[in-house]
Amino acid sequence: MSVLLPKAYFLTYFNKPWALAQLVCTDNRRRLTFLRARGLDCGLLLGAHLESTGSVAGWFVGQEGETCSRNRCCECLRCCGRRDPRPRTVWLGHPEKREQRYPRNVINNQKYNFFTFLPGVLFNQFKYFFNLYFLLLACSQFVVEMRLGALYTYWVPLGFVLAVTVIREAAEEIRCYMRDKEVNSQIYSKLTARGTVKVKSSNIQVGDLIIVEKNQRVPADMIFLRTSEKNGSCFLRTDQLDGETDWKLRLPVTCTQRLPTASDLLQIRSYVYAEEPNIDIHNFVGTFTREDSDPPVNESLSIENTLWASTVIASGTVVGLVLYTGRELRSVMNTSNPRSKIGLFDLEVNCLTKILFGALVVVSLVMVALQHFAGRWYLQIIRFLLLFSNIIPISLRVNLDMGKIVYSWVIRRDSKIPGTVVRSSTIPEQLGRISYLLTDKTGTLTQNEMVFKRLHLGTVAYGLDSMDEVQSHIFSIYTQQSQDPPAVKGLTLATKVRKTMSSRVHEAVKAIALCHNVTPVYESNGVTDQAEAERHYEDSCRVYQASSPDEVALVQWTESVGLTLVGRDQSSVQLRTPGGHILNFTILQIFPFTYESKRMGIIVRDESTGEITFYMKGADVVMAGIVQYNDWLEEECGNMAREGLRVLVVAKKSLTEEQYQDFEARYVQAKLSVHDRSLKVATVIESLEMEMELLCLTGVEDQLQTDVRPTLETLRNAGIKVWMLTGDKLETATCTAKNAHLVTRTQDIHIFRLVTNRGEAHLELNAFRRKHDCALVISGDSLEMCLKFYEYEFMELACQCPAVVCCRCAPTQKAQIVRLLQERTGKLTCAVGDGGNDVSMIQEADCGVGVEGKEGKQASLAADFSITQFKHLGRLLMVHGRNSYKRSAALSQFVIHRSLCISTMQAVFSSVFYFASVPLYQGFLIIGYSTIYTMFPVFSLVLDKDVKSEVAMLYPELYKDLLKGRPLSYKTFLIWVLISIYQGSIIMYGALLLFESEFVHIVAISFTSLILTELLMVALTIQTWHWLMIVAELLSLSCYIASLVFLHEFIDVYFIATLSFLWKVTVITLVSCLPLYVLKYLRRRFSPPSYSKLTS
């Protein structure tokens, strides 16, 4: 209900020019709402004016001599609740006139900066219990009552761990900085009053006039002002922004395109008023105003006038006005901030250390309890906590981090996946446990290269091997026409008698050659200049430009069979026959392709005969109701679609002059309509789309990347579910899914129909629930509606599907799907993509893989792993992922075993000596035990493998075993704990039983037995020997024997040279190890693991 305000309020408020500024700052609907909310009659009048004209121009006239004050505008924005980001006024070529500070135009993929690097790295290390525990442990040694040994025994290992981590993170940050610097340092031309100057991408500011050449990346979000193309438009490649392969047609501002030269842009007084920065890449609202013309020029701006950053100019040279930079770019706002990824393996190890800490506390309390909590028992608890601190091995983190570096090095050196780069060396184990693979389509699964495969005329079909027959038919038709008298020519083509096969083929090919939006462009080739090439239609200089690679493939095919598109502008088309004759056609009307209509049409007049023909092509689902009755269309479309071809149905309708004039009158009238314009226009066009003559079906294939099919089959056999997330059309995505065998031939496909509300979503979900073992194809709009109202139900159903295809997905939607999969399933996800629109998905996934392809390196630079071809993903997961996970699992458990052994010995020793908190080994023995004496053999486990890489690729089912997490589980952890307790107890009790008179002999016997036991246990754990493993074993043993000379403070050198020492050590070592060797043999004999069957 309206609230009428006093007239004085209206005069005070609406007669001010700054009120006009506020009204212009938003789209028409918001303007209307703004006025109607105040219940003013004038507001209602303005609303009617807006609805009829679409503009506020000519409605408000400011008071004489008054200008639109910047301060008043800002005041108005504040009173309306506006906050940054805000709408802006940008003057052409005058960045100094900016109203507010704008962000620098830099791309930054780094996690830290110079000041936050060290605090950030340390925080990420100490936020986990494992490292925090050792920090507190080392700090406690500064308290005299708690000190158990030299400070270096605690601080040196901790310092080494932190140094390795800081160096690794610093190396990755430096690499990331260099990559960003390369992009930010790209050079562009800027128009200034002094002429054209070179400027770095990072130095571009809002208000600059930037010149972008063909095939150059657009450096910032810009308004399109001028182009060098004669037709006054340009094409954009947007695949890095929205994932769509179709080129987008962009139009310059009419006022600036008419200027004689680009330098005149600086001579006019004009500005662009633009909406606030937002995430929407498909819409834009703004106005262009030129103040120094009479009268002032006002043009509305839409998405057609924009050049968004991360797109590539596909035709001509353009000049743009920079509107948004840096973090306000559409592409950046659609990209999530990079996060530090922590692997599931690291979290599991962190959980095990918490269990070990619990054991440490329990053992310490038991020791103090057995002392009956005598004296200062709380200090005793702390001393026992320090004494048994080896239960949690500090070397575990070092070994695992160094292991990750080795895995990364091995991946980079693999000659079978050349060009692979590891950009995040912290998560290689993630590759071994992927349950869901989410992949982009364009450039990842496909090469984005269209090839014409099939022409079907109903009674006959022509494939690649029979195109010469089509060529001969075309040649015979035009040879016959050249021999016929001109008067008979039209009669021959228009006759109603049964057509010959040649004429049917000719009509089909001519329809394909005319019904499109392709423009031939001529470029200099070094021999012929551009003007001459265009005048003589030089084949070697001609390239085709279009908004869709499908259309280019069709036109190239018509050229290959003899009918060549040689010229086109907004009003005419020129075709060249096999004999070199030029056919001229006048374009009367064009009905462009839309996602709603799924078809495009064109009405042309043949200049030689005066015939008017309406050609149309589109998807079979809509064309089936438009063409005349036939009995083969549906069946053949299905057959071609099953082959993975993109099918288009081509039809025509001949019009008389009277019919066309009648249509044109109704069409023009509909376009002038104010209300329901689009509906009325569609109704008029549909009046033509009846009883059209079906000419042919065309089948075009988007070439798949090499070995995509076997790679997807390998992943499927490995238990990995593949989801395809693409910004492309539903039909295209479905075709590619079939062609790549993402959906097997035996599986049904459920195409989730478009839903717009909760009720429709509920009905469609119920229909989908009744399907079993079928792949799901869903559009981004329907997906958004389902997730809004039925998130749990949809994800539950989708996760049961063998494959899911999401089409028309926005970049943020891709990331949302990844996040939902992680939350709902708890499984690991891997995202693969090659474009800038995939960056959010890649960064959100547990493991991001970027493919270096035609869409640039943006995804590759933001990913954890970079590959050059999709087929390399199979080896990356099946071989390197599997090996990394199994090796790290074995390494971590062995390091825990090594520490638990010595802790068990300490517990036995303390128990025997009346629960005294006295260390068994001191000083260098403690450090040497986990470093030079056992480090090399234990670390050599990172070279171990259970099967050869060829076997792992041949039997991907081996990968499926890892998804259950069995290599590192509570069961295997408990087994290693029991082994540690057994061996530690045997060694300590054996040394206590067999020592002679002095305590130093206990140290000698037990420590030597401990070292030999560890070396033998490494040999017991190894499955495939590497020469470096043998070197590590011998090196460690040699180091220990050599160091005995210097350890006289802890070990009796004369005693270890006796025969008594040797047999005692041998007996203890055999008793601790031999039973385990027997158990391992029996297990492999009677319950062999799956991989052993393949290696035997």
Side-chain angles (χ1 to χ4, degrees):
M1 186 173 176
S2 298
V3 179
L4 292 176
L5 298 180
K7 187 176 179 182
Y9 178 90
F10 166 72
L11 293 174
T12 305
Y13 189 89
F14 285 100
N15 280 344
K16 298 293 185 182
W18 53 268
L20 172 60
Q22 198 277 336
L23 286 170
V24 177
C25 77
T26 51
D27 59 70
N28 292 347
R29 186 178 297 173
R30 289 187 217 159
R31 298 171 192 157
L32 193 56
T33 306
F34 176 81
L35 288 171
R36 283 177 176 164
R38 286 154 177 77
L40 301 172
D41 292 341
C42 187
L44 296 175
L45 289 171
L46 176 59
H49 178 78
L50 284 169
E51 287 178 333
S52 62
T53 65
S55 169
V56 293
W59 186 261
F60 279 108
V61 180
Q63 290 181 358
E64 197 170 342
E66 201 169 355
T67 57
C68 181
S69 163
R70 172 177 147 186
N71 294 333
R72 287 173 173 172
C73 287
C74 294
E75 260 176 38
C76 180
L77 293 174
R78 281 197 295 273
C79 78
C80 294
R82 297 276 183 184
R83 294 292 183 270
D84 284 337
R86 298 176 297 175
R88 60 192 59 183
T89 299
V90 182
W91 292 84
L92 268 66
H94 295 285
E96 69 279 358
K97 289 187 178 182
R98 57 178 179 265
E99 300 174 339
Q100 52 185 297
R101 293 188 64 182
Y102 302 116
R104 290 187 65 219
N105 191 45
V106 292
I107 289 176
N108 184 5
N109 288 308
Q110 295 169 250
K111 291 183 285 188
Y112 312 102
N113 58 35
F114 180 79
F115 299 103
T116 62
F117 173 73
L118 198 57
V121 172
L122 293 178
F123 173 77
N124 282 328
Q125 289 301 303
F126 291 126
K127 73 179 179 181
Y128 292 101
F129 170 80
F130 188 88
N131 291 334
L132 182 62
Y133 166 75
F134 285 111
L135 178 65
L136 296 174
L137 195 71
C139 290
S140 71
Q141 293 305 289
F142 290 113
V143 181
V144 178
E145 289 86 352
M146 299 180 187
R147 186 173 297 175
L148 289 176
L151 282 175
Y152 71 86
T153 59
Y154 293 92
W155 280 101
V156 169
L158 181 63
F160 181 69
V161 171
L162 294 178
V164 169
T165 304
V166 169
I167 291 171
R168 188 190 68 232
E169 289 285 341
E172 289 187 1
E173 283 295 291
I174 290 171
R175 282 201 298 268
C176 194
Y177 168 77
M178 297 306 292
R179 292 195 301 266
D180 290 343
K181 184 179 179 182
E182 181 183 348
V183 176
N184 292 327
S185 300
Q186 290 180 352
I187 302 298
Y188 292 87
S189 299
K190 181 172 81 169
L191 279 177
T192 67
R194 302 186 307 274
T196 303
V197 297
K198 299 296 182 182
V199 61
K200 289 184 179 180
S201 174
S202 57
N203 293 332
I204 290 174
Q205 302 177 44
V206 173
D208 283 345
L209 295 174
I210 302 298
I211 300 171
V212 187
E213 306 286 343
K214 182 181 177 182
N215 293 325
Q216 199 171 17
R217 180 183 72 89
V218 178
D221 288 353
M222 305 195 299
I223 289 296
F224 184 14
L225 299 179
R226 285 183 62 82
T227 177
S228 61
E229 293 289 279
K230 290 183 179 180
N231 57 11
S233 63
C234 85
F235 283 107
L236 272 186
R237 294 203 298 269
T238 64
D239 35 20
Q240 282 207 60
L241 182 67
D242 57 17
E244 294 185 21
T245 58
D246 298 355
W247 289 7
K248 305 297 187 300
L249 184 69
R250 290 293 183 260
L251 302 173
V253 176
T254 308
C255 174
T256 52
Q257 179 66 20
R258 289 173 179 166
L259 295 173
T261 63
S263 58
D264 291 331
L265 291 169
L266 295 165
Q267 309 303 319
I268 63 175
R269 180 176 171 79
S270 55
Y271 63 86
V272 168
Y273 191 88
E275 64 182 352
E276 69 276 5
N278 62 64
I279 203 170
D280 191 352
I281 60 175
H282 299 296
N283 292 291
F284 174 76
V285 176
T287 57
F288 174 87
T289 303
R290 180 177 178 181
E291 294 185 334
D292 58 351
S293 63
D294 189 22
V297 175
N298 289 290
E299 284 189 44
S300 63
L301 301 177
S302 67
I303 188 66
E304 290 183 336
N305 308 112
T306 60
L307 304 170
W308 294 147
S310 296
T311 59
V312 177
I313 302 299
S315 62
T317 300
V318 304
V319 180
L321 170 68
V322 177
L323 283 186
Y324 309 115
T325 53
R327 63 176 180 272
E328 293 181 344
L329 297 174
R330 292 292 208 271
S331 56
V332 173
M333 295 178 80
N334 272 283
T335 304
S336 55
N337 292 324
R339 61 186 179 95
S340 297
K341 295 183 182 179
I342 306 298
L344 177 61
F345 178 82
D346 293 318
L347 296 176
E348 289 173 342
V349 169
N350 198 50
C351 184
L352 294 181
T353 58
K354 292 177 183 177
I355 295 174
L356 291 174
F357 179 74
L360 168 63
V361 172
V362 169
V363 172
S364 301
L365 288 173
V366 168
M367 287 293 179
V368 175
L370 292 172
Q371 290 180 338
H372 307 292
F373 295 97
R376 299 168 69 184
W377 57 269
Y378 50 87
L379 273 180
Q380 285 298 314
I381 290 179
I382 296 175
R383 285 181 63 84
F384 273 118
L385 286 172
L386 296 170
L387 192 63
F388 294 125
S389 61
N390 280 322
I391 288 179
I392 306 175
I394 191 170
S395 58
L396 177 58
R397 188 75 266 156
V398 179
N399 278 279
L400 290 178
D401 285 349
M402 292 174 64
K404 294 174 192 289
I405 294 172
V406 172
Y407 307 148
S408 302
W409 182 81
V410 171
I411 291 172
R412 284 195 294 266
R413 291 292 301 272
D414 190 343
S415 60
K416 294 187 178 178
I417 48 173
T420 302
V421 179
V422 180
R423 304 198 189 280
S424 177
S425 60
T426 58
I427 54 170
E429 297 91 357
Q430 299 280 77
L431 293 170
R433 303 175 69 182
I434 300 300
S435 296
Y436 288 92
L437 179 76
L438 300 103
T439 175
D440 178 41
K441 178 187 74 69
T442 308
T444 304
L445 296 180
T446 67
Q447 299 179 24
N448 199 17
E449 291 181 2
M450 306 299 168
V451 177
F452 189 93
K453 289 278 189 176
R454 187 78 52 82
L455 177 71
H456 206 298
L457 300 179
T459 56
V460 63
Y462 297 97
L464 288 177
D465 54 347
S466 54
M467 289 303 171
D468 53 338
E469 294 181 36
V470 178
Q471 194 171 7
S472 64
H473 283 310
I474 297 297
F475 184 79
S476 65
I477 280 288
Y478 284 105
T479 304
Q480 176 187 347
Q481 286 183 10
S482 63
Q483 294 170 356
D484 288 340
V488 184
K489 192 181 298 182
L491 183 64
T492 306
L493 292 174
T495 182
K496 297 296 184 183
V497 299
R498 183 175 177 83
K499 297 172 180 166
T500 64
M501 182 54 65
S502 292
S503 64
R504 289 179 61 195
V505 171
H506 165 249
E507 287 184 5
V509 173
K510 187 168 78 168
I512 296 170
L514 287 172
C515 189
H516 53 71
N517 65 357
V518 182
T519 303
V521 177
Y522 293 87
E523 299 175 346
S524 172
N525 63 357
V527 178
T528 310
D529 64 21
Q530 183 177 350
E532 187 179 348
E534 193 167 343
R535 191 164 56 251
H536 297 290
Y537 301 132
E538 287 288 341
D539 291 344
S540 60
C541 303
R542 183 174 54 250
V543 292
Y544 294 117
Q545 292 177 348
S547 63
S548 170
D550 302 51
E551 299 217 302
V552 174
L554 292 172
V555 171
Q556 287 175 338
W557 174 77
T558 63
E559 179 182 1
S560 69
V561 296
L563 201 56
T564 307
L565 174 70
V566 293
R568 178 176 181 147
D569 53 33
Q570 294 184 346
S571 60
S572 65
V573 176
Q574 290 79 40
L575 301 180
R576 187 174 62 199
T577 67
H581 180 65
I582 301 298
L583 304 177
N584 291 292
F585 296 87
T586 301
I587 300 175
L588 301 178
Q589 300 289 346
I590 292 182
F591 314 116
F593 177 90
T594 64
Y595 295 114
E596 291 76 26
S597 67
K598 293 183 172 59
R599 58 190 182 273
M600 71 92 54
I602 186 170
I603 301 178
V604 297
R605 176 187 279 117
D606 188 337
E607 292 297 315
S608 61
T609 63
E611 287 184 348
I612 300 175
T613 310
F614 173 35
Y615 292 106
M616 176 169 281
K617 67 179 179 186
D620 56 309
V621 289
V622 294
M623 295 296 288
I626 293 174
V627 299
Q628 296 168 349
Y629 173 77
N630 61 85
D631 57 0
W632 60 273
L633 175 62
E634 185 177 353
E635 181 183 355
E636 294 304 333
C637 284
N639 291 338
M640 292 168 71
R642 278 187 285 275
E643 296 178 35
L645 301 179
R646 301 189 191 190
V647 182
L648 284 176
V649 181
V650 183
K652 79 164 191 174
K653 186 176 188 178
S654 296
L655 302 176
T656 63
E657 187 68 36
E658 293 76 17
Q659 285 177 319
Y660 174 71
Q661 293 299 334
D662 174 60
F663 164 78
E664 186 181 33
R666 289 185 290 117
Y667 185 62
V668 171
Q669 187 67 32
K671 288 175 71 175
L672 291 174
S673 177
V674 175
H675 301 288
D676 300 325
R677 179 187 298 173
S678 57
L679 179 63
K680 292 178 180 177
V681 168
T683 304
V684 173
I685 296 174
E686 285 173 8
S687 67
L688 275 186
E689 298 172 344
M690 293 187 298
E691 293 297 307
M692 296 190 70
E693 180 186 347
L694 175 59
L695 295 178
C696 65
L697 305 181
T698 63
V700 176
E701 183 183 54
D702 189 355
Q703 292 284 81
L704 293 174
Q705 295 270 6
T706 310
D707 292 337
V708 160
R709 293 185 184 121
T711 301
L712 288 175
E713 186 178 358
T714 297
L715 297 174
R716 204 163 34 238
N717 293 337
I720 299 174
K721 289 188 176 181
V722 183
W723 289 31
M724 186 170 79
L725 313 180
T726 176
D728 225 328
K729 300 185 287 290
L730 187 143
E731 294 81 6
T732 308
T734 308
C735 280
T736 303
K738 293 175 181 176
N739 198 19
H741 295 176
L742 176 65
V743 180
T744 60
R745 293 182 182 275
T746 58
Q747 287 172 350
D748 292 329
I749 295 180
H750 178 81
I751 297 180
F752 205 95
R753 69 183 180 86
L754 186 65
V755 295
T756 55
N757 55 54
R758 183 171 186 165
E760 291 179 357
H762 180 74
L763 292 173
E764 192 63 20
L765 280 172
N766 283 339
F768 178 44
R769 196 186 300 274
R770 291 190 287 270
K771 301 287 184 72
H772 298 286
D773 191 39
C774 73
L776 172 65
V777 179
I778 186 169
S779 67
D781 294 334
S782 299
L783 176 69
E784 186 177 357
M785 196 59 61
C786 289
L787 295 180
K788 182 178 180 181
F789 296 111
Y790 299 104
E791 181 182 296
Y792 177 80
E793 292 83 354
F794 175 79
M795 292 304 297
E796 182 185 23
L797 291 171
C799 290
Q800 294 172 4
C801 295
V804 176
V805 177
C806 298
C807 54
R808 306 294 293 162
C809 264
T812 47
Q813 266 188 324
K814 293 184 178 184
Q816 183 187 10
I817 293 168
V818 173
R819 191 161 50 249
L820 285 171
L821 272 177
Q822 294 167 339
E823 293 171 357
R824 295 294 177 189
T825 66
K827 303 289 181 65
L828 292 187
T829 58
C830 175
V832 189
D834 70 320
N837 62 310
D838 302 316
V839 170
S840 293
M841 171 178 73
I842 286 171
Q843 292 180 339
E844 189 64 43
D846 297 297
C847 183
V849 179
V851 181
E852 286 191 17
K854 296 179 180 178
E855 295 189 19
K857 293 187 176 182
Q858 195 169 350
S860 167
L861 297 179
D864 305 307
F865 302 88
S866 172
I867 56 179
T868 55
Q869 295 184 58
F870 182 82
K871 68 175 182 179
H872 294 166
L873 187 65
R875 186 173 178 86
L876 188 65
L877 298 181
M878 299 301 113
V879 177
H880 296 290
R882 185 173 182 276
N883 285 344
S884 298
Y885 176 47
K886 289 184 74 74
R887 287 166 176 173
S888 286
L891 178 63
S892 60
Q893 292 176 125
F894 202 93
V895 172
I896 290 173
H897 158 266
R898 183 176 66 184
S899 298
L900 282 176
C901 267
I902 197 170
S903 298
T904 303
M905 293 170 65
Q906 178 67 58
V908 172
F909 176 78
S910 294
S911 302
V912 171
F913 290 94
Y914 308 102
F915 312 107
S917 55
V918 177
L920 171 60
Y921 306 122
Q922 294 186 4
F924 185 76
L925 288 183
I926 285 289
I927 294 180
Y929 170 65
S930 57
T931 53
I932 63 171
Y933 297 151
T934 59
M935 182 180 72
F936 298 118
V938 172
F939 187 69
S940 69
L941 290 173
V942 301
L943 302 173
D944 194 19
K945 57 183 177 182
D946 53 357
V947 295
K948 293 181 179 179
S949 58
E950 293 78 13
V951 176
M953 289 296 294
L954 192 60
Y955 298 98
E957 292 78 9
L958 292 171
Y959 186 90
K960 194 182 295 186
D961 294 339
L962 304 187
L963 301 182
K964 300 170 184 175
R966 287 176 179 168
L968 181 65
S969 61
Y970 290 122
K971 178 184 175 181
T972 57
F973 172 68
L974 181 60
I975 290 171
W976 277 103
V977 168
L978 295 175
I979 291 173
S980 305
I981 294 173
Y982 166 75
Q983 291 185 325
S985 302
I986 289 294
I987 293 170
M988 197 65 239
Y989 278 117
L992 290 170
L993 287 172
L994 298 178
F995 88 104
E996 293 175 359
S997 55
E998 299 184 28
F999 172 76
V1000 73
H1001 292 173
I1002 296 178
V1003 174
I1005 293 171
S1006 63
F1007 194 74
T1008 305
S1009 299
L1010 179 62
I1011 297 297
L1012 292 177
T1013 297
E1014 288 302 316
L1015 296 181
L1016 288 173
M1017 283 299 293
V1018 170
L1020 175 67
T1021 306
I1022 290 172
Q1023 292 164 332
T1024 304
W1025 282 89
H1026 189 280
W1027 66 271
L1028 283 174
M1029 295 174 173
I1030 300 172
V1031 170
E1033 292 267 347
L1034 296 176
L1035 180 63
S1036 295
L1037 188 59
S1038 303
C1039 286
Y1040 178 63
I1041 294 171
S1043 67
L1044 290 176
V1045 180
F1046 307 101
L1047 297 177
H1048 52 81
E1049 182 183 348
F1050 311 106
I1051 295 176
D1052 185 352
V1053 180
Y1054 298 103
F1055 172 68
I1056 63 175
T1058 63
L1059 191 61
S1060 172
F1061 168 79
L1062 293 176
W1063 75 261
K1064 289 175 182 178
V1065 168
T1066 303
V1067 168
I1068 292 172
T1069 305
L1070 287 176
V1071 173
S1072 69
C1073 293
L1074 195 58
L1076 298 175
Y1077 270 85
V1078 173
L1079 287 173
K1080 180 181 179 181
Y1081 172 77
L1082 292 175
R1083 186 185 175 199
R1084 288 185 69 91
R1085 176 78 174 154
F1086 297 107
S1087 180
S1090 56
Y1091 62 81
S1092 64
K1093 301 170 187 175
L1094 302 175
T1095 54
S1096 59

